[in-house]
């Protein structure tokens, strides 16, 4: 870990305990691999940063499917439109230094564009995608690697001849060309090329290693430790094929940056939840809503913002021919989640949302619909309005025969933690924060349907005569599962060291086997 990842003083303690975040981190490698296999994905990186520390970074799958090279946490991946966030930070730094104003126009700042159709667009217009400029121009075959990305002269020609498609401020018109022009402005103001300028303005002051503005000329490939992972096509056109990395030229300010999930998570943590780069006033201005988005979020100046699983988050996403990416920072909790995939259909945003959901459970929040299902009027009926279970430390101990002595609820949770399989799928029992949950391991957003469990009585096993099971009453079920029927945990002794283990989980009469013991037959036959 670099020195920049050490904890910084905070005006208020983190609202989310480190221990709760580590609970999520512990299940992340296995869950992420499950998601990857279910969606037949290539390599995926994910990272969680919290309150000054990189809690975990994970890599699963291949860095190059054709060469069967495993992805590592050190591999570099393109983060595409995260570049806009970093470019916006550079512009705000120049504004804080008094070297430009957000109401400066393109024509004032780039001499070659004075008197052109884009001359009256302001830097604020460009930052917020309010400029009415084309997304990529009438010919942007570079997105399929049909042509190289435009260099400076080609970008200037696009700006002079075909960039303006609407009035400024009329509608959200996402524009890579607009951010390319911001890169030209940064060059003109600093007298440096974009890569050198953004490094001096943004990257060096923060001090997080492993981030860069564009593909280097001598970029190492996936076979090299710390090299660039390959991209991959989707399965729409058959088996996945490798997509080569490509430099972005004059559009580096819009889409050229690269990083690992761990490095961009550290960077976003220091910059978006702390004061490592900008004043609080500048960050507030970047977050101020300019456009409301179709998914309920908003866009400000180079930043997306949303309310996800109870977290107010800011950050950016990215799409490049070599993969998709998403980073969300929650300033109040000093929390960052980043996910980067190496395929054009990587579910990076969905997985980032899923990790936020798990962190929400760990923070002590109920599953999103749990209180609704448990309300007196649940499903329009006359439910009894059950209260939420107490935290594990306040629940009663149990004394199953297999244990030989009493187990506290927390000790029993350690025994139960793991995954359980059946024909229908996989269920994970895990402690998140101070509570026990049953999660659908196949879901990209496990918190959405999470069941909170409590420890009940020891009873006779209904399937194995003479055996015992511990009741695990569920809270937060919609009624289609275990609302009035507790899950049952059958306990036994390990044949190896004799430790107590859960040998089966029984849910509404169906037996789930510990994943390590489960084998799906070649053909599932009728009895």
């Amino acid at each position: 870990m670099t020195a920049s990842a050490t904890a910084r003083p905070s005006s208020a303690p983190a609202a989310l305990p480190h221990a709760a975040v580590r609970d999520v981190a512990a299940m992340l490698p296995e869950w992420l691999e499950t998601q990857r296999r279910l969606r037949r994905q290539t390599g995926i990186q994910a990272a969680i940063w919290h309150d000054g520390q990189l809690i975990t970074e994970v890599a699963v799958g291949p860095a190059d499917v054709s060469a069967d090279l495993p992805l590592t946490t050190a591999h570099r991946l393109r983060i595409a439109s995260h570049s806009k966030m970093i470019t916006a930070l550079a512009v705000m730094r120049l504004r804080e230094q008094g070297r430009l104003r957000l109401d400066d126009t393109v024509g004032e700042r780039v001499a070659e564009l004075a008197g052109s159709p884009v001359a009256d667009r302001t830097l604020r217009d460009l930052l917020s995608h309010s400029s009415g400029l084309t997304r990529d121009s009438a010919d942007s075959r570079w997105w399929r690697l049909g042509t190289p990305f435009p260099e400076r002269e080609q970008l200037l020609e696009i700006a002079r001849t075909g960039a303006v498609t609407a009035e400024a401020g009329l509608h959200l018109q996402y524009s890579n060309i607009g951010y390319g022009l911001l890169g030209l402005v940064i060059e003109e103001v600093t007298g440096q090329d974009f890569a050198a300028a953004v490094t001096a303005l943004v990257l060096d002051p923060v001090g997080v290693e492993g981030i860069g503005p564009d593909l280097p000329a001598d970029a190492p490939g996936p076979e090299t430790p710390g090299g660039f992972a390959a991209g991959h096509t989707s399965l729409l056109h058959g088996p996945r094929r490798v997509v080569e990395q490509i430099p972005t030229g004059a559009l580096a300010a819009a889409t050229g940056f690269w990083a690992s999930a761990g490095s961009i998570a550290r960077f976003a943590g220091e910059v978006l939840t702390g004061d490592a780069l900008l004043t609080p006033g500048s960050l507030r201005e970047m977050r101020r809503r300019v456009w409301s988005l179709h998914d309920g979020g908003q866009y400000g100046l180079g930043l997306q913002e949303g309310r996800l699983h109870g977290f107010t988050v800011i950050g950016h996403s990215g799409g490049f021919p070599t993969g998709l990416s998403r980073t969300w920072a929650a300033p109040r909790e000093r929390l960052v989640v980043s996910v980067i995939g190496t395929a054009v259909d990587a579910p990076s945003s969905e997985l980032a949302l899923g990790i936020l959901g798990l962190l929400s459970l760990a923070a002590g929040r109920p599953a999103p619909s749990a209180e609704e299902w448990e309300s007196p009027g649940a499903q329009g009926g006359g439910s009894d309005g059950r209260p939420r279970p107490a935290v594990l430390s306040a629940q009663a101990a149990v004394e199953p025969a297999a244990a030989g002595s009493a187990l506290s609820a927390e000790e029993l949770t350690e025994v139960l933690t793991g995954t359980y399989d059946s024909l229908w799928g996989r269920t994970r029992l895990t402690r998140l924060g101070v509570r026990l949950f049953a999660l659908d391991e196949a879901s990209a957003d496990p918190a959405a349907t999470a069941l909170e469990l409590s420890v009940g009585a020891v009873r006779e096993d209904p399937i194995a005569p003479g055996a015992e099971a511990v009741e695990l009453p569920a809270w937060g079920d919609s009624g289609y599962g275990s609302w009035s029927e507790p899950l049952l945990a059958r306990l036994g002794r390990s044949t190896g060291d004799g430790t107590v283990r859960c040998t089966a989980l029984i849910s509404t009469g169906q037996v789930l086997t510990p994943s390590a013991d489960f084998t799906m037959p070649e053909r599932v036959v009728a009895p």
Side-chain angles (χ1 to χ4, degrees):
M1 187 177 297
T2 62
S4 61
T6 57
R8 291 176 177 270
S10 177
S11 58
L16 181 59
H18 267 325
V21 181
R22 293 189 187 280
D23 287 342
V24 177
M27 64 170 285
L28 193 57
E30 194 173 38
W31 176 75
L32 198 65
E33 173 61 12
T34 297
Q35 297 300 312
R36 188 193 71 80
R37 287 191 295 104
L38 281 174
R39 289 156 180 77
R40 298 168 67 192
Q41 284 291 320
T42 54
I44 300 172
Q45 288 181 350
I48 303 173
W49 178 97
H50 180 237
D51 201 25
Q53 296 182 31
L54 185 65
I55 301 298
T56 188
E57 52 183 335
V58 177
V60 298
D64 182 331
V65 71
S66 65
D68 196 26
L69 295 170
L71 185 69
T72 70
T73 57
H75 270 112
R76 304 173 183 182
L77 290 76
R78 305 304 282 277
I79 55 173
S81 287
H82 283 70
S83 308
K84 297 179 175 69
M85 176 179 75
I86 299 172
T87 297
L89 291 167
V91 171
M92 298 304 285
R93 281 273 287 166
L94 291 171
R95 200 278 297 271
E96 287 188 346
Q97 293 171 2
R99 301 168 72 180
L100 56 69
R101 300 178 307 120
L102 299 188
D103 292 326
D104 289 345
T105 64
V106 173
E108 291 170 338
R109 284 298 176 181
V110 183
E112 297 102 315
L113 296 177
S116 72
V118 303
D120 66 340
R121 269 45 177 186
T122 68
L123 306 189
R124 192 186 304 274
D125 291 335
L126 299 177
L127 287 167
S128 61
H129 300 294
S130 303
S131 61
L133 300 189
T134 176
R135 181 184 172 100
D136 289 297
S137 85
D139 181 2
S140 57
R141 286 173 291 163
W142 49 79
W143 284 116
R144 54 178 296 177
L145 277 61
T147 61
F149 273 78
E151 297 296 343
R152 179 186 175 91
E153 289 305 318
Q154 185 181 350
L155 177 58
L156 288 170
E157 184 62 17
I158 291 170
R160 294 187 191 104
T161 60
V164 175
T165 61
E167 299 175 32
L170 185 65
H171 196 279
L172 171 68
Q173 173 60 45
Y174 194 85
S175 179
N176 290 308
I177 297 301
Y179 265 80
L181 296 182
L182 285 170
L184 299 186
V185 170
I186 291 170
E187 290 183 340
E188 293 295 329
V189 172
T190 63
Q192 299 174 294
D193 64 59
F194 175 76
V198 77
T199 298
L201 287 165
V202 177
L203 301 183
D204 284 349
V206 180
V208 173
E209 299 177 354
I211 303 176
D214 201 3
L215 186 72
D218 57 349
E223 69 284 351
T224 303
F228 282 80
H232 301 87
T233 61
S234 76
L235 294 169
L236 180 63
H237 302 105
R240 293 192 188 274
R241 295 166 173 83
V242 166
V243 180
E244 294 183 357
Q245 295 288 352
I246 183 174
T248 57
L251 292 187
T255 193
F257 271 78
W258 55 265
S260 67
S263 59
I264 193 62
R266 286 195 298 263
F267 176 86
E270 299 292 344
V271 172
L272 299 183
T273 80
D275 59 357
L277 192 68
L278 297 181
T279 65
S282 290
L283 272 178
R284 284 196 300 272
E285 189 165 5
M286 289 182 70
R287 292 180 61 174
R288 190 169 298 138
R289 178 181 305 184
V290 178
W291 301 110
S292 295
L293 307 180
H294 68 90
D295 58 2
Q298 62 193 61
Y299 202 98
L301 304 182
L303 281 180
Q304 298 163 336
E305 183 157 356
R307 181 76 175 168
L308 303 175
H309 280 297
F311 297 108
T312 297
V313 290
I314 56 178
H316 220 288
S317 56
F320 203 69
T322 57
L324 302 182
S325 53
R326 165 65 75 183
T327 298
W328 284 123
R332 179 179 177 272
E333 291 84 1
R334 287 180 52 78
L335 172 73
V336 180
V337 169
S338 185
V339 180
I340 313 175
T342 61
V344 294
D345 59 351
S348 301
S349 290
E350 295 93 326
L351 296 177
L353 175 65
I355 296 171
L356 284 173
L358 294 171
L359 289 163
S360 178
L361 296 182
R365 300 169 186 142
S369 298
E371 291 174 319
E372 176 186 348
W373 301 141
E374 298 294 347
S375 70
Q379 301 282 18
S383 170
D384 56 8
R386 293 184 294 192
R388 189 179 186 190
V391 299
L392 289 169
S393 61
Q395 293 183 30
V398 292
E399 193 168 350
S405 60
L407 294 175
S408 69
E410 292 173 304
E411 290 171 329
L412 179 64
T413 294
E414 294 299 315
V415 172
L416 300 178
T417 293
T419 58
Y420 302 84
D421 287 17
S422 74
L423 170 66
W424 293 95
R426 177 170 293 170
T427 295
R428 176 181 291 274
L429 298 192
T430 188
R431 174 177 179 156
L432 295 175
V434 294
R435 298 174 183 275
L436 175 64
F437 292 92
L439 308 173
D440 178 2
E441 185 79 350
S443 174
D445 188 5
T449 56
L451 293 180
E452 190 168 329
L453 305 178
S454 56
V455 177
V458 177
R459 53 170 286 186
E460 183 179 359
D461 190 311
I463 295 176
E468 288 184 333
V470 179
E471 291 184 341
L472 304 173
W475 185 83
D477 186 90
S478 65
Y480 282 92
S482 54
W483 188 84
S484 62
E485 300 177 83
L487 278 70
L488 302 175
R490 183 186 297 162
L491 301 186
R493 291 277 181 175
S494 171
T495 55
D497 55 13
T499 56
V500 181
R501 65 188 294 258
C502 180
T503 60
L505 190 66
I506 303 169
S507 177
T508 62
Q510 301 182 61
V511 178
L512 288 75
T513 305
S515 298
D517 302 334
F518 182 82
T519 301
M520 183 69 75
E522 291 297 320
R523 181 184 180 93
V524 181
V525 298

